[in-house]
Amino acid sequence: MSNTNENKRLQGKVAIVTGSSSGIGEGIALAMGREGASVVINYHSNEESAQELKSKIEEAGSKAAVVQADVANPDDVEKLIRAATDNFGTLDILVSNAGIQRDDNFLDMSLEDWNKVISTNLTGNFLCAQAAAKEFVKRKVKQEEKRAAGHIIFISSVHDIIPWAGHVNYATAKGGVQMLMKTLAQELASEKIRVNGISPGAIKTAINEDVWSTEKGRKDMLSLIPYGRIGEPEDIAKVAVWLATDEADYITGTTIYVDGGMTLYPAFSDKG
Ligand code: BGC
């Protein structure tokens, strides 16, 4: 990397990125590591890929630790936070990103698939945010200072506002994340904790590979994206890095849609 330590924007910061062994989480962890942050990489099942990411972050001159954890399990979440404090002394940034899909039509959806998605995609965010905030409140920052005691960034989805037939568990969880984010932002502002969301549109990762990997799927997907290209993890990572810097100090309680216009009702773009 050409970045010297002086212009690395997250130098000296410690970040946890949940679900960072692949996809958007991996992109964010790498970008934060390249910007100087020490990164706790969390994986659920793919240790090999998490270890590869660790090597990449170390090659970029930063530190990283790898932790297996299920974000829906409170003991695992404790372990995740401890990995940050034991290895790197503190925690500055939580990127709560881990998420899954278990798709089915509403009439056929099993309670198991409902519960699984709600626990990972909604309760997991609650648990990680609570554990991180308990660390952040230890860092006393005066109200008038132009820096935060800690950052929580929820990686949500355009489906926190776009209803999604065939994915009711997923869309419901993401809608919940939106209100979780806003309520925490309101409640934790006096502690100088910034809480925001990034809502990605269609980003090329394993979660939607069955769609973008076929010619028809790719075409259908593009018809929902006015900006005319499917997103890449880097598109989200760049925004996450910036949001975690003091450049964005006055932003809390906001969702940034990084979606190439997917939330612009593209079906109406030909005058309706
Ligand atoms: C989903 C993807 C989908 C995208 C746009 C994301 O939250 O995980 O599967 O392609 O939203 O619909």
Side-chain angles (χ1 to χ4, degrees), residues 187-228:
E187 188 165 338
L188 298 174
S190 59
E191 298 284 352
K192 294 285 287 181
I193 297 171
R194 293 207 283 114
V195 187
N196 291 290
I198 297 176
S199 287
I203 308 297
K204 217 183 247 190
T205 69
I207 211 170
N208 50 10
E209 188 169 359
D210 55 329
V211 184
W212 57 257
S213 59
T214 70
E215 191 53 36
K216 180 181 179 312
R218 222 175 67 83
K219 236 178 119 217
D220 288 351
M221 204 174 235
L222 281 169
S223 74
L224 300 171
I225 309 170
Y227 204 56

Side-chain angles (χ1 to χ4, degrees), residues 100-101 103 156-159 162 164 167 170 174 200-203 205 207-212 221 224 262:
I100 54 167
Q101 282 184 219
D103 310 328
S156 181
S157 165
V158 288
H159 298 296
I162 303 179
W164 202 14
H167 307 74
Y170 187 89
K174 295 298 185 179
I203 308 297
T205 69
I207 211 170
N208 50 10
E209 188 169 359
D210 55 329
V211 184
W212 57 257
M221 204 174 235
L224 300 171
M262 194 176 239

Side-chain angles (χ1 to χ4, degrees), residues 264-272:
L264 297 174
Y265 298 93
F268 283 81
S269 56
D270 201 21
K271 304 191 180 66

